[in-house]
Amino acid sequence: MERVIVIGGGGAGTAAATIAKRLKPELRVSVFTEFADIAYSPCGIPFVHGREIPKFDDLFLSTVERYEADGLDMRMETVVTDIDLDRRTITARNQPEGFDQLVVCTGFHWQQPDVPGGNLEGLHYVKDIRKSMEFDAQLDSMKRVVVIGSGPIAVEMAGNLGHRGLHVDLVDEGPWVLHELLDPDVAQPVHESLEQRGVTLHLGTRLEGFEGTDGRIRAVATSGGALECDAAIIGLHKIPNTALAEAAGLKRGTTGALIVDDHMRTSVPGVWAAGDVIEVPHGLTMVPIVGLTGSHAYAQGRVAAVNLTGGELAYDPVWVPWGMVAGDYTIGGFSMGENLAQTLGIPYVVAKGVGVSRARYYPGATKTHVKLLAEPETLRLIGGVIHGGEGVKERADFLGFVAKRGATLHDLAYMENIYSPPIGALFEPIAIAAQNGLAEQRTPRPAVTV
Ligand SMILES: Cc1cc2nc3c(=O)[nH]c(=O)nc-3n(C[C@H](O)[C@H](O)[C@H](O)COP(=O)(O)OP(=O)(O)OC[C@H]3O[C@@H](n4cnc5c(N)ncnc54)[C@H](O)[C@@H]3O)c2cc1C
């Protein structure tokens, strides 16, 4: 019987394994994961800490028994220690096991800060749900936590712990939260919302170390002074977990992540990879990027499954629609905002507009801000930021998709849209932004007098 081994039980690994088995039931599919659980959503963890979701049990979407009943060979709490590509074996618990096809979905690990005190008790990295459940029980007796970093997961943790009533200090070197993602003009409402949730922001502040007593953290040392705390949550960058694949000789790219083609094939025939362990090209620049999301990981696992079972499915370069609630304020976008475009030296024109999420007379209507970036001359869409109230996710998904298909400001300015008082206004905020952008283009810039 042909055997497929999947290393990893996150979004990419579970998609690859379950879809391969469904498409070709005669395969023997084995899943190896270091964790005790499968098919839980790590994405919900910050919201259970914040009591927005009542309990951790709600995050489990299936069980190991269910997967076994579907015919999968589940190897829980089993770390793969070696891949031998010549013999076509992996080793786990000192036992070699042969494969015909291998799917590497080893995901990410958190960047560890290179400062003194990194091994003190009370430093928490959010990933494994069991560790999060233990941490949650400890939070009941804590008063102060420090969050290090201001990426999406760090911001979700900070906002949720503030909501739970803890005093939260957020430390980041950047000038505003989410500065790698967000434009500065959107940072203000995010900052205000986090502060209203009990988060004290220490921006432009460098982490210098962790101080402890009897092996347990007591304070975080920063360039702005020491911050007392009962625990510190580290939410710096996600690093592709490539050690195993690299030792086996699989090729890595410029980002350090594994190289795959659009079918998720690695550099070795019959060996596939998907999820946060790989790099994929950005749709605009075609430059490889990493650190995408669980939804990207799942989609890539599906592509690997289809192709390894004899199908034909390509994974397109990514236009990265993203969205989240930061504090209580909803933000999102796709591809890039102005800050990233400027950092990369990509020329653009801006189209900005503000609309409402429902008919303006309908209770609950919120302002929706849209900023689009377009290529000068062609006015082809290259990025955008959307924020405020309802519909941010749907607009970011839509814009990411139409940008991939080459849409321009002209296409968007006169797009069709739904007007239905409880769910949509007569004037679509995206169309308002595009029309404003076109008007700007038509208005000659005032002559500069010297
Ligand atoms: C707190 C939190 C919030 C998140 N929020 C969102 C969100 O809102 N939206 C979203 O889309 N995504 C979210 N994510 C998902 C995320 O950021 C990742 O993109 C996603 O988890 C990547 O999936 P993956 O399968 O590639 O890797 P991972 O989820 O990292 O899974 C890797 C798997 O590999 C296994 N593994 C690694 N090495 C070995 C080995 N040697 N032997 C055996 N097993 C091994 C691990 O046990 C694990 O099962 C969140 C993640 C976290 C932790």
Side-chain angles (χ1 to χ4, degrees), residues 238-266:
K238 295 196 297 177
I239 309 288
N241 185 9
T242 55
L244 190 62
E246 194 191 344
L250 292 178
K251 281 207 184 115
R252 294 189 306 149
T254 47
T255 64
L258 298 184
I259 297 179
V260 292
D261 68 6
D262 65 354
H263 279 51
M264 302 295 130
R265 296 181 195 106
T266 67

Side-chain angles (χ1 to χ4, degrees), residues 54 64 83 87 102 111 118 189 192 242 247 277-278 370 377 412 432-433:
V64 177
I83 302 172
R87 291 204 174 90
L102 178 68
Q111 177 192 354
E192 282 165 13
T242 55
V277 74
I278 66 166
V370 176
E377 312 292 329
L412 294 173
I432 296 174

Side-chain angles (χ1 to χ4, degrees), residues 39-41 44 48 52-62 129:
Y40 66 82
S41 171
V48 183
E52 304 271 9
I53 300 172
K55 52 190 190 311
F56 279 96
D57 286 351
D58 297 336
L59 304 187
F60 289 90
L61 308 170
S62 190
I129 196 163

Side-chain angles (χ1 to χ4, degrees), residues 412-415 417 427-436:
L412 294 173
Y414 301 103
M415 62 185 269
N417 67 278
F427 300 112
E428 162 55 42
I430 292 173
I432 296 174
Q435 286 171 18
N436 289 345

